[in-house]
Amino acid sequence: GAVVSQHPSRVICKSGTSVKIECRSLDFQATTMFWYRQFPKQSLMLMATSNEGSKATYEQGVEKDKFLINHASLTLSTLTVTSAHPEDSSFYICSARALQGEYGELFFGEGSRLTVL
Amino acid sequence: GENVEQHPSTLSVQEGDSAVIKCTYSDSASNYFPWYKQELGKGPQLIIDIRSNVGEKKDQRIAVTLNKTAKHFSLHITETQPEDSAVYFCAASKGNAGNMLTFGGGTRLMVKP
């Protein structure tokens, strides 16, 4: 199947710093990518929908100025957690849609675990 | 919006037994229902999906059934193996797979050898 790569897989940062997470579709082009957040033993919560060449659409309750999303190309979307605080510590996962006929299929990255000290 | 409920939250079975996980959804317009397996520290992996134009789909030991009238769908794993142990998520969306997925709460499956 198609591959979605996330980097870094783990990151530890100090409170107040910014962290950038990359999501790449390695063998297909993705016009749409999704960013999720997952707390321990909980389900995936959609944060935002990233569309290539346009502004991301954020879910209710997600601060767009804190979680900056850029989808500059058909194979790369980035999530920047600005001025990170300990409560931002979480597992962040991206997914990308491979264009296949009418439906396509969503592929998930391996996730990025952020720990803010 | 869509609401997906998943049960049970934890499931323990003996190796070789079957496991069944059930999900209900609220939006009758949803027509795409994927199931994902998530191992510890990893992203979800699609294991099977079903669209609303069929009632059942099978792939080796894994099957999914869909009841559109009752708005529920189920995952069936037969002849379970220890490597099936993971967290399983159901999801629902409208239109195609590029649309937003609403996830169930997850089921932690433990297969005892």
Side-chain angles (χ1 to χ4, degrees):
Chain A
V3 178
V4 174
S5 173
Q6 270 186 252
H7 178 80
S9 58
R10 293 175 181 271
V11 57
I12 301 173
C13 69
K14 293 181 179 179
S15 185
T17 61
S18 294
V19 175
K20 179 184 285 188
I21 301 170
E22 293 186 348
C23 178
R24 293 181 185 273
S25 55
L26 296 186
D27 50 0
F28 66 97
Q29 294 183 328
T31 56
T32 305
M33 291 184 174
F34 302 89
W35 286 95
Y36 297 83
R37 183 174 182 175
Q38 186 178 33
F39 290 108
K41 297 186 179 181
Q42 293 189 22
S43 189
L44 287 77
M45 299 301 296
L46 181 66
M47 298 176 66
T49 303
S50 171
N51 297 296
E52 186 268 337
S54 63
K55 291 183 179 180
T57 303
Y58 289 82
E59 295 301 301
Q60 190 173 7
V62 178
E63 299 176 60
K64 61 181 181 181
D65 294 331
K66 181 168 184 62
F67 299 99
L68 300 179
I69 291 172
N70 183 279
H71 194 154
S73 76
L74 285 171
T75 59
L76 174 64
S77 176
T78 60
L79 168 68
T80 301
V81 183
T82 61
S83 186
H85 292 286
E87 57 265 31
D88 298 324
S89 298
S90 189
F91 194 49
Y92 292 88
I93 308 171
C94 72
S95 69
R97 177 193 173 206
L99 295 174
Q100 296 173 359
E102 179 183 358
Y103 291 105
E105 188 174 329
L106 274 177
F107 296 93
F108 283 82
E110 286 294 314
S112 300
R113 183 164 300 283
L114 170 63
T115 303
V116 184
L117 302 177
Chain B
E2 175 66 277
N3 182 50
V4 179
E5 299 281 342
Q6 184 171 345
H7 299 280
S9 57
T10 59
L11 178 59
S12 181
V13 300
Q14 207 66 37
E15 182 178 0
D17 288 350
S18 296
V20 180
I21 303 171
K22 298 181 179 181
C23 287
T24 60
Y25 61 100
S26 61
D27 191 340
S28 57
S30 290
N31 59 4
Y32 175 65
F33 308 93
W35 285 88
Y36 293 89
K37 176 183 181 181
Q38 187 178 27
E39 297 178 342
L40 189 63
K42 296 186 177 181
Q45 295 294 312
L46 178 70
I47 56 172
I48 196 168
D49 58 11
I50 192 168
R51 305 189 193 281
S52 60
N53 57 347
V54 297
E56 185 175 357
K57 185 176 178 180
K58 190 174 182 180
D59 182 4
Q60 299 182 347
R61 296 187 297 111
I62 296 173
V64 58
T65 59
L66 170 65
N67 184 325
K68 286 171 54 181
T69 303
K71 288 189 283 189
H72 68 69
F73 55 113
S74 301
L75 177 71
H76 304 252
I77 305 175
T78 59
E79 300 173 33
T80 54
Q81 302 166 3
E83 50 266 37
D84 293 330
S85 298
V87 179
Y88 291 81
F89 291 98
C90 63
S93 76
K94 289 181 280 191
N96 58 41
N99 290 344
M100 186 186 77
L101 285 173
T102 300
F103 283 87
T107 296
R108 184 171 299 278
L109 174 63
M110 293 168 284
V111 181
K112 299 177 181 178

